[in-house]
Amino acid sequence: MTNNRNLKKHSIGLLVVMAVVGWLTLPDRFPVSLRPTASAAVTFTVTEAGDSGCPNPLHRNCTLRQVIIAANANPGFDNIRFQITGGSGSVKTISLQSELPPITEAVSIDGTSQPGYVGQPLVELNGAGAGTDASGLTIASSAAGSTVRGMIINRFGKDGITLLPGTGFNVVQGNHIGTDATGNTDLGNGLVGVRVRSSDNLIGGNIPEDRNVISGNNVGVMIGSLLVFVLGTTLVAYSVVLYRNFLKVHETEFDTALYNYSIDI
């Protein structure tokens, strides 16, 4: 009798071990997986034009700075929308006191969501007070697949928008970079309007609402030249579609109109 009981205990123990091993090695067979999964997409809304902190650092409805922090903390693709109060249809200026944190998770930043938008951007990022080394929006390598649409980005010491190496499949459409909301006043960024340091990005588009106005900057668009040498052959490792944007360079050194000094592609 004792031997039978011991045999049953060993059998049950063996079954438990087999079940645990099966669970760990074949998680796809079960409805619940031990592997971490990304959070569901969340829409974060910018409701304030200020640049101060919020009571909750992960607040979903607050200043752009805090909304970016919250979106970065939520794994996976998210949306940033705008509902800044103070009158529909008027330009809402966010005067930054320091550089915004880089965007580290894929996100759609959509300035066209601001109430009153009818084709002309209404959300302005003013970098005049952000410091001489500040750029406007920086897309990090972990945020590939992001979109920046319908924003006014001006007066930053460095770049308006930067796509860092390792990103890709980003979209930049319908922005005014280096100008005011009308596109007629020079409020250029100190270095580059859109600096592209990665492959497979779309800047601009076919319909008028998708075309960027990039002017007033030292350099309008700079597409980095990552060179790979294979058996003496130079290969340009960037593929970027720059499509139907409004770009202009200075025609003479005495030209004082609203132009970029150069376009470096």
Side-chain angles (χ1 to χ4, degrees):
M1 181 68 69
T2 301
N3 290 336
N4 290 337
R5 289 178 178 174
N6 290 335
L7 180 60
K8 288 182 179 180
K9 290 180 179 180
H10 289 308
S11 298
I12 293 172
L14 181 60
L15 289 173
V16 171
V17 171
M18 291 176 64
V20 171
V21 171
W23 176 270
L24 293 174
T25 58
L26 299 173
D28 290 334
R29 293 177 178 268
F30 298 90
V32 178
S33 174
L34 297 178
R35 296 173 299 181
T37 57
S39 303
V42 173
T43 295
F44 299 89
T45 303
V46 179
T47 58
E48 301 177 24
D51 192 34
S52 59
C54 297
N56 183 347
L58 299 182
H59 205 294
R60 293 183 182 178
N61 303 311
C62 196
T63 63
L64 176 61
R65 182 179 302 277
Q66 293 300 327
V67 161
I68 289 176
I69 292 172
N72 285 342
N74 188 58
F77 186 86
D78 292 310
N79 301 294
I80 293 179
R81 301 293 182 259
F82 294 84
Q83 293 184 8
I84 301 173
T85 59
S88 176
S90 61
V91 175
K92 307 296 184 272
T93 299
I94 300 173
S95 296
L96 297 172
Q97 303 307 306
S98 61
E99 188 173 42
L100 290 168
I103 295 162
T104 58
E105 290 288 333
V107 69
S108 170
I109 301 177
D110 189 0
T112 70
S113 60
Q114 175 64 31
Y117 174 85
V118 290
Q120 179 174 292
L122 295 175
V123 180
E124 178 183 37
L125 300 187
N126 176 1
T132 57
D133 291 331
S135 292
L137 294 172
T138 300
I139 310 297
S141 59
S142 56
S146 292
T147 295
V148 179
R149 184 188 307 277
M151 302 291 292
I152 308 162
I153 303 175
N154 56 43
R155 289 173 277 187
F156 285 90
K158 286 189 173 180
D159 306 332
I161 296 176
T162 304
L163 308 180
L164 291 178
T167 64
F169 306 100
N170 300 295
V171 176
V172 178
Q173 291 182 327
N175 303 284
H176 286 192
I177 302 170
T179 75
D180 66 348
T182 67
N184 295 321
T185 300
D186 183 353
L187 299 174
N189 298 291
L191 292 181
V192 183
V194 180
R195 185 187 298 270
V196 183
R197 300 177 61 194
S198 62
S199 301
D200 302 313
N201 300 288
L202 173 61
I203 301 172
N206 189 40
I207 63 175
E209 289 79 8
D210 288 345
R211 301 172 190 172
N212 300 289
V213 176
I214 306 173
S215 200
N217 311 285
N218 188 36
V219 177
V221 178
M222 177 178 286
I223 299 177
S225 55
L226 174 62
L227 302 180
V228 181
F229 294 90
V230 181
L231 298 177
T233 302
T234 302
L235 304 176
V236 180
Y238 283 81
S239 58
V240 177
V241 177
L242 186 64
Y243 193 50
R244 303 193 75 171
N245 299 280
F246 297 103
L247 297 160
K248 185 74 174 180
V249 297
H250 276 276
E251 297 173 351
T252 73
E253 62 179 311
F254 305 105
D255 190 353
T256 58
L258 181 59
Y259 299 142
N260 301 291
Y261 281 91
S262 66
I263 301 171
D264 190 351
I265 298 176

